[in-house]
Amino acid sequence: MASVWKHPNSPFWTACFTCLDGRRKKRSTKETNRRKAEKLAEQFEEAVRKRRTFSQVRSVLQDLHREITGEELKSVTVREHVQNWLAEKKDETKLATMHFYKASTTKFLDFLGERADQEISLVTRGDLINYRKDLASTLSSNSTNHHIKCARMMFKMARRDALIPENPAEFVERVKKKGGYERRPFTLEEIRMVLAAADDEWRSMILFALYTGQRLSDVAAFTWEQINLEKAEMRFKTAKTGRRMIIPIAATLLANLRSTRGKNKASGPIHPRAAATLNKNYKTSTLSNQFANLLAAAGLRNKVSHKKEKQGRTGSKTGAQLSFHSLRHTAVTLLKEAGIPQAVVQELIGHDSEQMSEHYTHVGSEALKKAAAALPDVTCT
């Protein structure tokens, strides 16, 4: 017999009913009125005992919901909800992130197949676990976890809008990292090897990353308007954190910029090819692959195929201890080895968040200039 129960810490009544196999089930009614909750519990039990199809159960619940609230019960397919979620995120999300959201939700819809056009309430935690397993079979652990996080956000909105009773992705755990390797900083000799194999644009990007400590997305997007050659400083806002930076330009980078200025336009991107690639793809993966090829040309890693296969991309990542981001680590390492205080190092390369910044004291421009001057000239052999 159906009954209701309320947890002392919850305002809602829980429906308790018996299935055909004799097991007792509990489902939240999301009702604070006991009479209405009891009616829902009876309907739940009747639905499972009569082995009703989902459409029949939906019809019963629709009538009951209309009787209780005077409103129609919302009915949305997974595909419709994805479109609504993307539309809501559009005005509050960066282009690069939106590009990922669209690709990620398309991947999820493809995984569901025909079920993508069924009601979103039919998606279960088991479906999300199978989706995670499918992702992990061809993607890295980080990529898999990014896609699961996207699904969790999308279902969170469905829960907020009362389209589903609970978020099926909420407790789908992250995939643990596969293999065991850590990125490491470059040695000075390795940097010189890469510079020798690089063309002018990549050479400039490498020097920017080393002497400013900035990420690939920022280095590729730097413009001449952000550079003041007379004051030997640059002003910009980081793409990842939105942090506004004013940092000195080290002598080696300054010399390279003055040389490059005569070859390029007086305005626009400092690295035109990289900027065009970034604007086209809204992400840095293509540039990261180009840098990986440059490392291979310099003899610092094996040539890796970027062609996607059934078991993921060819070539093991266990040897990928060096990447463009390693230049950021190299900058930090060199500054610390030069005896530069941690607060100054953090201020020069930029913190990951404003909260992190609060842990450090204010750093003056003179301290930053001394830090930039402490970096060695990697162009000298």
Side-chain angles (χ1 to χ4, degrees):
M1 181 177 177
S3 61
V4 292
W5 167 81
K6 186 168 72 170
H7 191 280
N9 296 328
S10 173
F12 302 118
W13 289 94
T14 297
C16 307
F17 52 95
T18 306
C19 296
L20 281 173
D21 58 8
R23 291 182 301 166
R24 292 288 285 179
K25 291 282 188 179
K26 292 182 179 180
R27 290 289 183 273
S28 175
T29 64
K30 300 301 178 185
E31 283 291 345
T32 56
N33 183 288
R34 177 165 185 156
R35 184 185 66 80
K36 294 178 180 179
E38 287 174 341
K39 195 167 185 179
L40 273 174
E42 292 171 359
Q43 293 287 354
F44 286 156
E45 185 166 81
E46 182 182 2
V48 296
R49 282 184 173 275
K50 291 184 177 181
R51 290 183 178 272
R52 290 182 172 179
T53 64
F54 177 80
S55 59
Q56 291 172 324
V57 173
R58 183 75 185 184
S59 178
V60 171
L61 293 179
Q62 176 81 356
D63 293 340
L64 186 61
H65 185 80
R66 188 187 303 111
E67 179 183 336
I68 293 174
T69 66
E71 301 176 351
E72 293 294 326
L73 190 62
K74 295 179 181 178
S75 175
V76 176
T77 67
V78 181
R79 193 181 306 279
E80 289 170 341
H81 178 66
V82 164
Q83 293 171 348
N84 293 338
W85 181 72
L86 290 174
E88 181 172 304
K89 300 296 290 184
K90 184 177 180 180
D91 293 334
E92 60 190 55
T93 308
K94 294 180 180 179
L95 282 176
T97 307
M98 278 304 301
H99 182 79
F100 169 74
Y101 286 163
K102 290 177 182 178
S104 183
T105 51
T106 297
K107 189 179 291 290
F108 182 61
L109 294 176
D110 290 342
F111 169 79
L112 290 178
E114 294 181 355
R115 296 182 58 205
D117 295 307
Q118 295 180 356
E119 288 204 28
I120 191 171
S121 57
L122 292 177
V123 179
T124 66
R125 180 173 179 270
D127 293 325
L128 271 297
I129 290 176
N130 288 334
Y131 175 54
R132 182 187 64 185
K133 183 178 180 180
D134 183 70
L135 291 170
S137 67
T138 58
L139 300 176
S140 69
S141 55
N142 282 340
S143 295
T144 297
N145 292 332
H146 280 314
H147 287 298
I148 292 300
K149 181 179 179 181
C150 180
R152 191 177 292 125
M153 293 168 61
M154 185 261 293
F155 279 104
K156 183 178 180 180
M157 174 178 158
R159 176 69 185 84
R160 181 201 71 188
D161 294 345
L163 300 177
I164 53 177
E166 57 187 21
N167 182 347
E170 183 176 2
F171 298 109
V172 176
E173 301 298 331
R174 293 167 57 87
V175 173
K176 292 183 179 180
K177 288 190 175 181
K178 307 170 188 175
Y181 76 92
E182 293 183 2
R183 288 195 174 92
R184 64 171 177 82
F186 286 90
T187 65
L188 293 182
E189 180 57 31
E190 287 171 337
I191 292 175
R192 291 177 179 126
M193 290 169 66
V194 181
L195 288 172
D199 62 17
D200 288 345
E201 180 162 302
W202 270 108
R203 178 184 173 85
S204 175
M205 290 174 66
I206 292 167
L207 293 178
F208 259 102
L210 180 65
Y211 288 106
T212 68
Q214 299 310 307
R215 298 177 177 86
L216 180 53
S217 57
D218 291 314
V219 171
F222 282 146
T223 66
W224 287 109
E225 287 81 1
Q226 296 169 320
I227 304 295
N228 188 322
L229 294 178
E230 287 69 32
K231 291 185 177 181
E233 70 174 25
M234 57 188 303
R235 297 169 178 253
F236 60 95
K237 185 170 72 171
T238 60
K240 182 177 180 179
T241 64
R243 177 178 171 82
R244 296 187 180 280
M245 303 280 291
I246 304 175
I247 61 175
I249 302 175
T252 305
L253 179 58
L254 186 62
N256 181 77
L257 279 169
R258 284 173 174 160
S259 173
T260 305
R261 186 62 178 264
K263 303 174 186 177
N264 288 8
K265 295 180 180 179
S267 61
I270 299 172
H271 309 113
R273 294 200 317 270
T277 300
L278 185 65
N279 292 334
K280 179 181 178 181
N281 300 326
Y282 303 111
K283 54 184 179 180
T284 60
S285 57
T286 299
L287 294 173
S288 294
N289 290 338
Q290 290 176 7
F291 188 73
N293 291 336
L294 182 57
L295 290 177
L300 295 177
R301 64 177 286 178
N302 294 329
K303 180 73 174 179
V304 179
S305 171
H306 302 294
K307 181 180 179 181
K308 189 174 181 180
E309 296 187 350
K310 184 175 181 180
Q311 297 302 323
R313 301 190 188 279
T314 58
S316 173
K317 285 194 174 183
T318 55
Q321 292 179 310
L322 293 174
S323 69
F324 194 87
H325 200 74
S326 297
L327 292 165
R328 182 175 170 88
H329 295 308
T330 306
V332 173
T333 300
L334 291 174
L335 287 167
K336 288 184 177 180
E337 288 177 350
I340 303 300
Q342 184 179 12
V344 180
V345 174
Q346 293 288 342
E347 190 68 22
L348 182 65
I349 68 168
H351 311 302
D352 286 340
S353 68
E354 292 182 7
Q355 295 166 327
M356 188 67 178
S357 299
E358 293 173 0
H359 291 285
Y360 299 95
T361 57
H362 175 72
V363 177
S365 59
E366 287 303 315
L368 291 176
K369 289 178 181 178
K370 289 180 180 179
L375 290 167
D377 185 355
V378 296
T379 61
C380 296
T381 57

Short mmCIF file of all heavy atoms in Angstrom, two decimals, residues 9-10 34 63 149 167 174 179 200 207 221 224 244 255 268 271 275 296 298 323-324 328 339 342 348 365 370 375 379:
data_model
loop_
_atom_site.label_atom_id
_atom_site.label_comp_id
_atom_site.label_asym_id
_atom_site.label_seq_id
_atom_site.Cartn_x
_atom_site.Cartn_y
_atom_site.Cartn_z
N ASN A 9 14.32 17.13 7.96
CA ASN A 9 15.02 18.29 7.42
C ASN A 9 14.54 18.72 6.03
O ASN A 9 15.13 19.59 5.40
CB ASN A 9 16.53 18.00 7.35
CG ASN A 9 17.14 17.79 8.72
OD1 ASN A 9 16.70 18.38 9.70
ND2 ASN A 9 18.15 16.93 8.79
N SER A 10 13.46 18.08 5.55
CA SER A 10 12.94 18.41 4.22
C SER A 10 11.50 18.90 4.32
O SER A 10 10.71 18.37 5.09
CB SER A 10 13.01 17.18 3.32
OG SER A 10 12.37 17.44 2.08
N ARG A 34 0.32 17.19 2.37
CA ARG A 34 0.29 15.74 2.56
C ARG A 34 -0.78 15.07 1.71
O ARG A 34 -0.54 13.99 1.13
CB ARG A 34 0.05 15.41 4.04
CG ARG A 34 -0.07 13.91 4.29
CD ARG A 34 0.05 13.54 5.73
NE ARG A 34 0.05 12.09 5.87
CZ ARG A 34 0.58 11.44 6.89
NH1 ARG A 34 1.19 12.12 7.85
NH2 ARG A 34 0.51 10.12 6.95
N ASP A 63 -2.45 14.69 -15.93
CA ASP A 63 -3.78 15.00 -15.39
C ASP A 63 -3.69 15.38 -13.92
O ASP A 63 -4.34 16.33 -13.46
CB ASP A 63 -4.72 13.80 -15.57
CG ASP A 63 -5.02 13.52 -17.04
OD1 ASP A 63 -4.84 14.45 -17.86
OD2 ASP A 63 -5.41 12.39 -17.35
N LYS A 149 31.45 17.13 -17.32
CA LYS A 149 31.12 18.37 -16.63
C LYS A 149 30.08 19.16 -17.41
O LYS A 149 29.14 19.73 -16.84
CB LYS A 149 32.37 19.22 -16.43
CG LYS A 149 32.12 20.52 -15.69
CD LYS A 149 33.41 21.31 -15.51
CE LYS A 149 33.15 22.64 -14.80
NZ LYS A 149 34.40 23.44 -14.64
N ASN A 167 19.16 15.18 -11.08
CA ASN A 167 20.19 15.29 -12.10
C ASN A 167 20.91 13.95 -12.25
O ASN A 167 21.65 13.56 -11.35
CB ASN A 167 21.19 16.39 -11.71
CG ASN A 167 22.27 16.61 -12.76
OD1 ASN A 167 22.45 15.81 -13.67
ND2 ASN A 167 23.00 17.70 -12.61
N ARG A 174 34.37 11.63 -11.84
CA ARG A 174 35.38 11.94 -12.84
C ARG A 174 36.23 10.71 -13.15
O ARG A 174 36.37 9.82 -12.31
CB ARG A 174 36.29 13.06 -12.33
CG ARG A 174 35.61 14.39 -12.17
CD ARG A 174 36.48 15.35 -11.37
NE ARG A 174 37.79 15.55 -11.97
CZ ARG A 174 38.07 16.44 -12.89
NH1 ARG A 174 37.11 17.25 -13.32
NH2 ARG A 174 39.28 16.57 -13.37
N GLY A 179 47.81 6.65 -17.14
CA GLY A 179 49.25 6.75 -17.31
C GLY A 179 49.88 7.59 -16.22
O GLY A 179 49.24 7.97 -15.24
N ASP A 200 60.16 32.47 -37.97
CA ASP A 200 60.16 33.75 -37.25
C ASP A 200 58.97 33.91 -36.31
O ASP A 200 59.11 34.39 -35.19
CB ASP A 200 60.18 34.91 -38.26
CG ASP A 200 61.53 35.06 -38.95
OD1 ASP A 200 62.51 34.46 -38.45
OD2 ASP A 200 61.60 35.76 -39.98
N LEU A 207 59.55 33.16 -27.43
CA LEU A 207 60.16 34.20 -26.60
C LEU A 207 59.10 34.90 -25.74
O LEU A 207 59.35 35.21 -24.57
CB LEU A 207 60.89 35.21 -27.47
CG LEU A 207 62.14 34.68 -28.21
CD1 LEU A 207 62.74 35.77 -29.08
CD2 LEU A 207 63.17 34.14 -27.21
N ALA A 221 47.17 35.81 -29.38
CA ALA A 221 46.25 36.94 -29.58
C ALA A 221 46.88 38.31 -29.35
O ALA A 221 46.23 39.33 -29.60
CB ALA A 221 45.04 36.77 -28.65
N TRP A 224 49.87 44.66 -31.50
CA TRP A 224 50.83 45.75 -31.36
C TRP A 224 50.27 46.87 -30.48
O TRP A 224 51.03 47.62 -29.85
CB TRP A 224 51.22 46.29 -32.73
CG TRP A 224 52.12 45.36 -33.48
CD1 TRP A 224 51.81 44.63 -34.58
CD2 TRP A 224 53.49 45.06 -33.17
NE1 TRP A 224 52.89 43.87 -34.99
CE2 TRP A 224 53.94 44.12 -34.13
CE3 TRP A 224 54.37 45.48 -32.17
CZ2 TRP A 224 55.23 43.60 -34.12
CZ3 TRP A 224 55.66 44.97 -32.16
CH2 TRP A 224 56.09 44.04 -33.13
N ARG A 244 43.66 41.73 -15.68
CA ARG A 244 44.35 42.82 -16.40
C ARG A 244 45.80 42.88 -15.94
O ARG A 244 46.08 42.94 -14.74
CB ARG A 244 43.64 44.16 -16.15
CG ARG A 244 42.22 44.18 -16.72
CD ARG A 244 41.59 45.55 -16.63
NE ARG A 244 40.24 45.54 -17.18
CZ ARG A 244 39.95 45.60 -18.48
NH1 ARG A 244 40.94 45.70 -19.36
NH2 ARG A 244 38.70 45.57 -18.89
N ALA A 255 64.19 43.29 -27.90
CA ALA A 255 65.01 43.33 -29.12
C ALA A 255 64.32 42.58 -30.26
O ALA A 255 64.33 43.03 -31.41
CB ALA A 255 66.37 42.70 -28.83
N GLY A 268 47.42 45.60 -35.28
CA GLY A 268 46.92 44.24 -35.47
C GLY A 268 47.75 43.22 -34.73
O GLY A 268 48.60 43.55 -33.89
N HIS A 271 51.40 38.09 -34.12
CA HIS A 271 51.60 36.77 -34.74
C HIS A 271 50.38 36.47 -35.61
O HIS A 271 49.45 35.78 -35.17
CB HIS A 271 51.78 35.70 -33.65
CG HIS A 271 52.80 36.08 -32.62
ND1 HIS A 271 52.48 36.34 -31.30
CD2 HIS A 271 54.15 36.26 -32.73
CE1 HIS A 271 53.57 36.65 -30.64
NE2 HIS A 271 54.60 36.61 -31.48
N ALA A 275 47.10 34.07 -34.75
CA ALA A 275 45.86 34.77 -34.42
C ALA A 275 44.72 34.31 -35.32
O ALA A 275 43.59 34.11 -34.87
CB ALA A 275 46.06 36.28 -34.54
N ALA A 296 59.14 17.94 -32.20
CA ALA A 296 59.63 16.73 -32.89
C ALA A 296 60.75 17.09 -33.87
O ALA A 296 61.75 16.38 -33.98
CB ALA A 296 58.48 16.05 -33.62
N ALA A 298 62.77 19.46 -33.55
CA ALA A 298 63.96 19.80 -32.76
C ALA A 298 64.56 18.58 -32.08
O ALA A 298 65.59 18.69 -31.39
CB ALA A 298 63.60 20.86 -31.72
N SER A 323 55.58 20.76 -23.63
CA SER A 323 54.52 21.36 -24.44
C SER A 323 54.71 22.87 -24.38
O SER A 323 55.62 23.37 -23.72
CB SER A 323 53.14 20.99 -23.87
OG SER A 323 52.95 21.63 -22.61
N PHE A 324 53.85 23.61 -25.08
CA PHE A 324 53.96 25.07 -25.04
C PHE A 324 53.78 25.58 -23.61
O PHE A 324 54.44 26.54 -23.20
CB PHE A 324 52.93 25.70 -25.98
CG PHE A 324 53.20 27.16 -26.25
CD1 PHE A 324 54.04 27.54 -27.30
CD2 PHE A 324 52.64 28.16 -25.47
CE1 PHE A 324 54.32 28.89 -27.54
CE2 PHE A 324 52.90 29.50 -25.71
CZ PHE A 324 53.75 29.87 -26.76
N ARG A 328 55.78 28.27 -19.71
CA ARG A 328 55.29 29.00 -18.52
C ARG A 328 55.96 28.45 -17.26
O ARG A 328 56.40 29.21 -16.40
CB ARG A 328 53.76 28.86 -18.44
CG ARG A 328 53.10 29.61 -17.28
CD ARG A 328 51.59 29.46 -17.44
NE ARG A 328 50.83 29.92 -16.28
CZ ARG A 328 50.42 31.16 -16.09
NH1 ARG A 328 50.71 32.09 -16.98
NH2 ARG A 328 49.71 31.49 -15.04
N GLY A 339 66.41 33.72 -7.61
CA GLY A 339 66.17 34.29 -6.29
C GLY A 339 65.05 35.31 -6.23
O GLY A 339 64.94 36.06 -5.25
N GLN A 342 58.57 34.76 -4.44
CA GLN A 342 57.40 34.10 -5.03
C GLN A 342 56.30 35.09 -5.39
O GLN A 342 55.66 34.96 -6.44
CB GLN A 342 56.83 33.05 -4.05
CG GLN A 342 55.67 32.26 -4.65
CD GLN A 342 55.14 31.21 -3.69
OE1 GLN A 342 55.49 31.22 -2.51
NE2 GLN A 342 54.30 30.32 -4.17
N LEU A 348 54.23 38.57 -11.98
CA LEU A 348 54.74 38.71 -13.34
C LEU A 348 54.03 37.79 -14.33
O LEU A 348 53.66 38.21 -15.42
CB LEU A 348 56.24 38.44 -13.38
CG LEU A 348 56.92 38.61 -14.74
CD1 LEU A 348 56.85 40.06 -15.19
CD2 LEU A 348 58.37 38.15 -14.68
N SER A 365 56.30 48.11 -9.74
CA SER A 365 56.82 47.96 -11.11
C SER A 365 58.32 47.71 -11.11
O SER A 365 58.84 46.99 -11.98
CB SER A 365 56.48 49.20 -11.93
OG SER A 365 57.05 50.37 -11.34
N LYS A 370 62.99 44.13 -12.29
CA LYS A 370 64.14 43.35 -11.84
C LYS A 370 63.93 41.86 -12.12
O LYS A 370 64.87 41.15 -12.49
CB LYS A 370 64.39 43.58 -10.35
CG LYS A 370 64.91 44.97 -10.02
CD LYS A 370 65.14 45.13 -8.52
CE LYS A 370 65.66 46.53 -8.20
NZ LYS A 370 65.87 46.70 -6.73
N LEU A 375 65.80 37.07 -16.09
CA LEU A 375 65.69 35.95 -17.03
C LEU A 375 66.87 35.95 -18.00
O LEU A 375 67.22 37.01 -18.54
CB LEU A 375 64.37 36.03 -17.80
CG LEU A 375 63.11 35.76 -16.97
CD1 LEU A 375 61.86 36.18 -17.74
CD2 LEU A 375 63.03 34.28 -16.60
N THR A 379 68.74 33.51 -26.56
CA THR A 379 69.13 33.62 -27.97
C THR A 379 70.65 33.56 -28.14
O THR A 379 71.13 33.45 -29.27
CB THR A 379 68.61 34.93 -28.58
OG1 THR A 379 69.18 36.05 -27.88
CG2 THR A 379 67.09 35.00 -28.48
#
